[in-house]
Amino acid sequence: MKLQTLTIALLLAATGLSSCQNTQKGENQKDSISADSVSLSNDSLMNKIQAQTFQYFWEGAEPNSGLARERIHIDGVYPENDENVVTIGGSGFGIMGLVVGMERGYISKKEGEDRLNHIMDFLGKIPRFKGAWSHWYHGDTGKVKAFSEKDNGGDLVETAFLAQSLIVVREYLKNGSEEQKSIAKKADELWKSVDWNHYTNGKNVLLWHWSPTHDFGMNHPIQGYDECLVTYVLAGSSPTHPIDTAVYNQGWARNGKIKSDLKKFNIPIGVKHNAKEGQVGPLFWAHYSFLGLNPTGLKDAYVDYGEVVVNHAKINIAYADENPNKYKGYGSDKGWGWTASYSIKGYDAHHPDNDKSVISPTAALSSTPYTPKESMAFARYLFNLLGDKVWGKYGFYDAYSETENWFPQRYLAIDQGPIVVMMENYRSGLIWNLFMQAPEIQSGLKKLGFQSPNLK
């Protein structure tokens, strides 16, 4: 429901934002944490974090495309002058964030609709590869930016993260005004145009990449367990280019070998992570597929995914409490959460067995539906103890290390987006409900052998 003007003003005041943030924030405006942040209720604190982080995808979006920039560096120093490079997966997260922003009143419905309509038109014009998008594009020109030498065509996983959001947009707008229905129709046509079956290359597994110049030369099979479950769910749910159930069972589930009976910190891991035996991967594996796909009670023939994601977060918390390296600021009521992010030296996929003393706020904050108590304790720790060292124009910065006194003022789309969406899923279930109600997802999950309390 559309919020009235007074309600919007009160909401923005409660979150510590000014109304000018709905459009363009002044460059000299200080984004410091207000002194009363620590006294806010958990719900108000989450709203404050969501509203500020949302600005990455609103005010910070690449202007020509409306999509999410791959990165925003407050210091203005970019690798390869890529400040206008947009990310397809991160844009999918941002599109879901736009729906949150429209519903919460961070922007008006009309502002959101205009942006979404522009985005849908851009997505329909840029090069695609059997319906799939590339990992990166130059937002100002619409041309593909190769991720690597052979990765210059379709990226099915990034496409899945985007397609997840297209279904959410369609479901959100499909029964609205004529303009809303028009946007929903564009989103629907885009998601249905992806040829998922092409990416099997005739085998019972999905392959991550395809390029007109290198064909399936990357030869990277998508197999569980990592961040890619939703790719198989969408491929199985497609009404136009679906995969067979055997592709899921043999490809993702490895004929049951995805299951694991191992424990870490006496907590069941549940699945065989694509890591060394007995290790768990970076925590984004518990987030990216589950922004729309509700893991609560979600089971296939082999795995209870609700238990997997909750335990993944709990393993991170247990590691923080043990803190074997005695790094500064670790603990279940302090800093915790390891995932792929900026690191002291470049970029790294952090996890408990690959700890560089770097904590990535997205790891704990995006786990709010799984570990609300510990996630909010972490948020309060950041506000109370670190303040403006870790908080800026677009919410919490990507990563920090108290041990090394390292506090870079940099952001990544793929880390900011899940914070907005997963906090909303905890607060209202908005994105989960929209995605899970889609008829194709309902039938696709049943086809692949899933059980879920959300299946009708």
Side-chain angles (χ1 to χ4, degrees), residues 189-201:
E189 290 173 349
L190 287 169
W191 118 256
K192 287 178 179 176
S193 68
V194 180
D195 189 347
W196 306 91
N197 191 56
H198 170 79
Y199 282 78
T200 65
N201 195 24

Side-chain angles (χ1 to χ4, degrees), residues 95-103 116 168-169 172 430-431 434:
I95 288 168
M96 287 183 273
L98 285 174
V99 172
V100 173
M102 294 165 70
E103 192 69 7
L116 287 172
V168 167
V169 167
Y172 187 60
L430 174 67
I431 304 302
L434 289 169

Side-chain angles (χ1 to χ4, degrees), residues 133-301:
W133 287 271
S134 284
H135 190 121
W136 283 334
Y137 290 84
H138 294 280
D140 49 349
T141 66
K143 294 181 179 179
V144 170
K145 175 179 169 63
F147 192 75
S148 65
E149 181 184 353
K150 291 185 178 181
D151 188 359
N152 64 345
D155 183 313
L156 200 65
V157 175
E158 294 287 308
T159 294
F161 298 150
L162 176 63
Q164 192 173 203
S165 77
L166 297 175
I167 292 173
V168 167
V169 167
R170 184 197 68 191
E171 293 297 305
Y172 187 60
L173 298 177
K174 66 181 182 181
N175 296 320
S177 65
E178 289 306 310
E179 183 177 354
Q180 290 170 338
K181 288 178 180 177
S182 173
I183 299 167
K185 184 174 184 290
K186 291 177 182 179
D188 186 52
E189 290 173 349
L190 287 169
W191 118 256
K192 287 178 179 176
S193 68
V194 180
D195 189 347
W196 306 91
N197 191 56
H198 170 79
Y199 282 78
T200 65
N201 195 24
K203 303 173 184 177
N204 282 335
V205 65
L206 286 171
L207 296 173
W208 200 305
H209 311 92
W210 178 79
S211 157
T213 53
H214 299 288
D215 198 35
F216 289 102
M218 292 284 288
N219 195 31
H220 187 162
I222 304 170
Q223 296 178 293
Y225 174 80
D226 51 26
E227 75 272 29
C228 302
L229 174 62
V230 75
T231 311
Y232 276 89
V233 171
L234 290 164
S237 302
S238 171
T240 49
H241 305 284
I243 59 168
D244 294 332
T245 302
V247 179
Y248 176 81
N249 287 321
Q250 295 179 34
W252 174 257
R254 304 174 189 254
N255 288 321
K257 292 181 181 178
I258 189 174
K259 184 177 179 179
S260 173
D261 295 322
L262 296 177
K263 296 181 178 181
K264 198 170 185 68
F265 300 104
N266 206 33
I267 300 169
I269 298 174
V271 290
K272 187 182 185 306
H273 284 232
N274 287 331
K276 292 182 180 179
E277 189 75 12
Q279 293 186 3
V280 297
L283 203 44
F284 76 86
W285 291 2
H287 303 146
Y288 289 3
S289 275
F290 303 106
L291 300 184
L293 183 64
N294 189 341
T296 308
L298 184 70
K299 304 175 184 179
D300 64 9

